[in-house]
Amino acid sequence: DTAVSQTPKYLVTQMGNDKSIKCEQNLGHDTMYWYKQDSKKFLKIMFSYNNKELIINETVPNRFSPKSPDKAHLNLHINSLELGDSAVYFCASSHGGNTEAFFGQGTRLTVV
Amino acid sequence: AQSVTQLDSQVPVFEEAPVELRCNYSSSVSVYLFWYVQYPNQGLQLLLKYLSGSTLVKGINGFEAEFNKSQTSFHLRKPSVHISDTAEYFCAVSSPSFNKFYFGSGTKLNVKP
């Protein structure tokens, strides 16, 4: 049983396309996140949701739109993909800031 | 503002030698501290955490870290490394008021035979 699962693991697409990444956690956590890891391995917070409500939007372009249909799911939709969007995107969850975060395996997005 | 600094971007070490990966943080409030490991093409796995109590915490795979409040540090140590410890290591902080985890820039540990 995977605690935090995200799909797909790999995504190769052309510039201008729209794509989605799905994330589900079965840990009963109330907080979910999207992080972007660039080619230098730096992890940058994109969004944070608590009980389905957006808490943090860290200056992410409007082309990125997260959606949380319930506490266990946090999906990421990206419109009009650009070359600079190529990165590894990680979903994570936690009990607020009180415990560690559990991470998914990542989605490697390559825009060509 | 909060920040996490990992002073070494790369640490080469020979197998069976000891290693220390350094982490310093800056915060105006009390924080929780974490070390994560990332193997190639994988997600982040928790190595150990400090929430409260003893400042010396032990984690998986023989790693340990010591929280030093006065130095605002949380250095990671292992007395004898293995080839399989080759990976990227990330230090992170959080707090109930942050709503996110702040990560350092990572340290690549390269264990040589």
Side-chain angles (χ1 to χ4, degrees), chain B residues 6 11 15 18 23 39 43 56 60 65-66 68 76 83 86 99 110:
Chain B
Q6 292 183 240
V11 173
E15 195 174 17
C23 173
Y39 299 104
L56 182 64
I60 62 171
E66 185 153 22
N68 187 320
L76 181 70
I83 296 287
T86 294
N99 294 310
N110 186 11

PDB file of all heavy atoms in Angstrom, chain B residues 6 11 15 18 23 39 43 56 60 65-66 68 76 83 86 99 110:
ATOM      1  N   GLN B   6      22.493  24.257   3.668  1.00  0.00           N
ATOM      2  CA  GLN B   6      23.360  23.087   3.683  1.00  0.00           C
ATOM      3  C   GLN B   6      24.680  23.535   3.086  1.00  0.00           C
ATOM      4  O   GLN B   6      24.750  23.917   1.917  1.00  0.00           O
ATOM      5  CB  GLN B   6      22.727  21.942   2.886  1.00  0.00           C
ATOM      6  CG  GLN B   6      21.490  21.401   3.576  1.00  0.00           C
ATOM      7  CD  GLN B   6      20.887  20.218   2.843  1.00  0.00           C
ATOM      8  OE1 GLN B   6      19.740  20.250   2.413  1.00  0.00           O
ATOM      9  NE2 GLN B   6      21.640  19.147   2.719  1.00  0.00           N
ATOM     10  N   VAL B  11      29.804  15.933  -1.005  1.00  0.00           N
ATOM     11  CA  VAL B  11      30.725  15.378  -0.012  1.00  0.00           C
ATOM     12  C   VAL B  11      31.200  14.020  -0.533  1.00  0.00           C
ATOM     13  O   VAL B  11      30.424  13.061  -0.576  1.00  0.00           O
ATOM     14  CB  VAL B  11      30.056  15.207   1.365  1.00  0.00           C
ATOM     15  CG1 VAL B  11      30.975  14.464   2.319  1.00  0.00           C
ATOM     16  CG2 VAL B  11      29.675  16.569   1.937  1.00  0.00           C
ATOM     17  N   GLU B  15      34.373   4.473   1.386  1.00  0.00           N
ATOM     18  CA  GLU B  15      33.562   3.489   2.084  1.00  0.00           C
ATOM     19  C   GLU B  15      34.172   3.185   3.445  1.00  0.00           C
ATOM     20  O   GLU B  15      35.394   3.127   3.599  1.00  0.00           O
ATOM     21  CB  GLU B  15      33.475   2.213   1.245  1.00  0.00           C
ATOM     22  CG  GLU B  15      32.388   1.258   1.680  1.00  0.00           C
ATOM     23  CD  GLU B  15      32.231   0.081   0.738  1.00  0.00           C
ATOM     24  OE1 GLU B  15      33.161  -0.166  -0.059  1.00  0.00           O
ATOM     25  OE2 GLU B  15      31.184  -0.586   0.788  1.00  0.00           O
ATOM     26  N   PRO B  18      33.805   7.765   8.334  1.00  0.00           N
ATOM     27  CA  PRO B  18      32.694   8.513   8.918  1.00  0.00           C
ATOM     28  C   PRO B  18      32.355   9.721   8.048  1.00  0.00           C
ATOM     29  O   PRO B  18      33.179  10.195   7.270  1.00  0.00           O
ATOM     30  CB  PRO B  18      33.261   8.972  10.273  1.00  0.00           C
ATOM     31  CG  PRO B  18      34.730   9.081  10.025  1.00  0.00           C
ATOM     32  CD  PRO B  18      35.066   7.998   9.044  1.00  0.00           C
ATOM     33  N   CYS B  23      23.981  21.162   8.386  1.00  0.00           N
ATOM     34  CA  CYS B  23      22.731  21.883   8.146  1.00  0.00           C
ATOM     35  C   CYS B  23      22.575  22.968   9.203  1.00  0.00           C
ATOM     36  O   CYS B  23      22.666  22.691  10.394  1.00  0.00           O
ATOM     37  CB  CYS B  23      21.535  20.932   8.205  1.00  0.00           C
ATOM     38  SG  CYS B  23      19.923  21.757   8.122  1.00  0.00           S
ATOM     39  N   TYR B  39      17.289   8.834  -3.308  1.00  0.00           N
ATOM     40  CA  TYR B  39      18.073   7.996  -4.209  1.00  0.00           C
ATOM     41  C   TYR B  39      17.694   8.354  -5.639  1.00  0.00           C
ATOM     42  O   TYR B  39      16.607   8.894  -5.883  1.00  0.00           O
ATOM     43  CB  TYR B  39      17.827   6.520  -3.909  1.00  0.00           C
ATOM     44  CG  TYR B  39      18.230   6.126  -2.500  1.00  0.00           C
ATOM     45  CD1 TYR B  39      17.270   5.917  -1.513  1.00  0.00           C
ATOM     46  CD2 TYR B  39      19.577   5.985  -2.147  1.00  0.00           C
ATOM     47  CE1 TYR B  39      17.629   5.579  -0.220  1.00  0.00           C
ATOM     48  CE2 TYR B  39      19.953   5.652  -0.860  1.00  0.00           C
ATOM     49  CZ  TYR B  39      18.971   5.463   0.100  1.00  0.00           C
ATOM     50  OH  TYR B  39      19.335   5.139   1.386  1.00  0.00           O
ATOM     51  N   GLY B  43      11.555   9.263  -4.849  1.00  0.00           N
ATOM     52  CA  GLY B  43      11.050  10.339  -4.006  1.00  0.00           C
ATOM     53  C   GLY B  43      11.919  10.515  -2.769  1.00  0.00           C
ATOM     54  O   GLY B  43      12.952   9.884  -2.625  1.00  0.00           O
ATOM     55  N   LEU B  56      19.750  14.382  20.544  1.00  0.00           N
ATOM     56  CA  LEU B  56      20.402  13.404  19.680  1.00  0.00           C
ATOM     57  C   LEU B  56      19.336  12.436  19.184  1.00  0.00           C
ATOM     58  O   LEU B  56      18.725  11.727  19.968  1.00  0.00           O
ATOM     59  CB  LEU B  56      21.503  12.666  20.438  1.00  0.00           C
ATOM     60  CG  LEU B  56      22.288  11.634  19.616  1.00  0.00           C
ATOM     61  CD1 LEU B  56      23.054  12.325  18.496  1.00  0.00           C
ATOM     62  CD2 LEU B  56      23.234  10.852  20.511  1.00  0.00           C
ATOM     63  N   ILE B  60      17.085   5.881  10.439  1.00  0.00           N
ATOM     64  CA  ILE B  60      17.277   4.618   9.735  1.00  0.00           C
ATOM     65  C   ILE B  60      18.670   4.553   9.127  1.00  0.00           C
ATOM     66  O   ILE B  60      19.355   5.576   8.991  1.00  0.00           O
ATOM     67  CB  ILE B  60      16.206   4.435   8.637  1.00  0.00           C
ATOM     68  CG1 ILE B  60      16.314   5.554   7.588  1.00  0.00           C
ATOM     69  CG2 ILE B  60      14.816   4.399   9.252  1.00  0.00           C
ATOM     70  CD1 ILE B  60      15.448   5.319   6.367  1.00  0.00           C
ATOM     71  N   ALA B  65      21.531  12.450  14.120  1.00  0.00           N
ATOM     72  CA  ALA B  65      21.719  13.894  14.002  1.00  0.00           C
ATOM     73  C   ALA B  65      21.563  14.513  15.379  1.00  0.00           C
ATOM     74  O   ALA B  65      20.862  13.984  16.237  1.00  0.00           O
ATOM     75  CB  ALA B  65      20.702  14.497  13.029  1.00  0.00           C
ATOM     76  N   GLU B  66      22.209  15.650  15.554  1.00  0.00           N
ATOM     77  CA  GLU B  66      22.135  16.348  16.828  1.00  0.00           C
ATOM     78  C   GLU B  66      21.605  17.750  16.634  1.00  0.00           C
ATOM     79  O   GLU B  66      22.129  18.531  15.828  1.00  0.00           O
ATOM     80  CB  GLU B  66      23.495  16.408  17.497  1.00  0.00           C
ATOM     81  CG  GLU B  66      23.447  17.024  18.898  1.00  0.00           C
ATOM     82  CD  GLU B  66      24.557  16.535  19.796  1.00  0.00           C
ATOM     83  OE1 GLU B  66      25.584  16.065  19.270  1.00  0.00           O
ATOM     84  OE2 GLU B  66      24.395  16.640  21.022  1.00  0.00           O
ATOM     85  N   ASN B  68      21.237  21.397  17.807  1.00  0.00           N
ATOM     86  CA  ASN B  68      21.950  22.355  18.640  1.00  0.00           C
ATOM     87  C   ASN B  68      21.250  23.702  18.511  1.00  0.00           C
ATOM     88  O   ASN B  68      21.406  24.397  17.502  1.00  0.00           O
ATOM     89  CB  ASN B  68      23.410  22.463  18.202  1.00  0.00           C
ATOM     90  CG  ASN B  68      24.239  23.310  19.145  1.00  0.00           C
ATOM     91  OD1 ASN B  68      23.782  24.344  19.630  1.00  0.00           O
ATOM     92  ND2 ASN B  68      25.455  22.885  19.410  1.00  0.00           N
ATOM     93  N   LEU B  76      23.987  15.964  10.296  1.00  0.00           N
ATOM     94  CA  LEU B  76      23.727  14.529  10.119  1.00  0.00           C
ATOM     95  C   LEU B  76      25.056  13.780  10.124  1.00  0.00           C
ATOM     96  O   LEU B  76      26.016  14.217   9.472  1.00  0.00           O
ATOM     97  CB  LEU B  76      23.006  14.298   8.783  1.00  0.00           C
ATOM     98  CG  LEU B  76      22.622  12.863   8.421  1.00  0.00           C
ATOM     99  CD1 LEU B  76      21.497  12.363   9.323  1.00  0.00           C
ATOM    100  CD2 LEU B  76      22.191  12.791   6.949  1.00  0.00           C
ATOM    101  N   ILE B  83      28.634   2.016   0.256  1.00  0.00           N
ATOM    102  CA  ILE B  83      28.398   2.440  -1.128  1.00  0.00           C
ATOM    103  C   ILE B  83      26.930   2.789  -1.330  1.00  0.00           C
ATOM    104  O   ILE B  83      26.585   3.755  -2.010  1.00  0.00           O
ATOM    105  CB  ILE B  83      28.812   1.339  -2.118  1.00  0.00           C
ATOM    106  CG1 ILE B  83      30.316   1.068  -2.045  1.00  0.00           C
ATOM    107  CG2 ILE B  83      28.407   1.713  -3.542  1.00  0.00           C
ATOM    108  CD1 ILE B  83      31.170   2.135  -2.661  1.00  0.00           C
ATOM    109  N   THR B  86      25.236   6.360  -1.113  1.00  0.00           N
ATOM    110  CA  THR B  86      25.372   7.372  -2.160  1.00  0.00           C
ATOM    111  C   THR B  86      23.991   7.854  -2.571  1.00  0.00           C
ATOM    112  O   THR B  86      23.149   7.073  -3.023  1.00  0.00           O
ATOM    113  CB  THR B  86      26.105   6.796  -3.380  1.00  0.00           C
ATOM    114  OG1 THR B  86      27.452   6.483  -3.013  1.00  0.00           O
ATOM    115  CG2 THR B  86      26.117   7.793  -4.535  1.00  0.00           C
ATOM    116  N   ASN B  99       2.832  26.115   7.403  1.00  0.00           N
ATOM    117  CA  ASN B  99       2.045  25.531   6.318  1.00  0.00           C
ATOM    118  C   ASN B  99       2.892  25.004   5.165  1.00  0.00           C
ATOM    119  O   ASN B  99       2.383  24.833   4.052  1.00  0.00           O
ATOM    120  CB  ASN B  99       1.024  26.537   5.769  1.00  0.00           C
ATOM    121  CG  ASN B  99      -0.022  26.879   6.807  1.00  0.00           C
ATOM    122  OD1 ASN B  99      -0.618  26.009   7.415  1.00  0.00           O
ATOM    123  ND2 ASN B  99      -0.226  28.167   7.012  1.00  0.00           N
ATOM    124  N   ASN B 110      28.753  11.136  -2.035  1.00  0.00           N
ATOM    125  CA  ASN B 110      29.312  10.197  -3.003  1.00  0.00           C
ATOM    126  C   ASN B 110      30.288   9.286  -2.271  1.00  0.00           C
ATOM    127  O   ASN B 110      31.380   9.712  -1.884  1.00  0.00           O
ATOM    128  CB  ASN B 110      30.010  10.964  -4.129  1.00  0.00           C
ATOM    129  CG  ASN B 110      30.485  10.052  -5.239  1.00  0.00           C
ATOM    130  OD1 ASN B 110      30.123   8.876  -5.282  1.00  0.00           O
ATOM    131  ND2 ASN B 110      31.294  10.572  -6.138  1.00  0.00           N
TER     132      ASN B 110
END
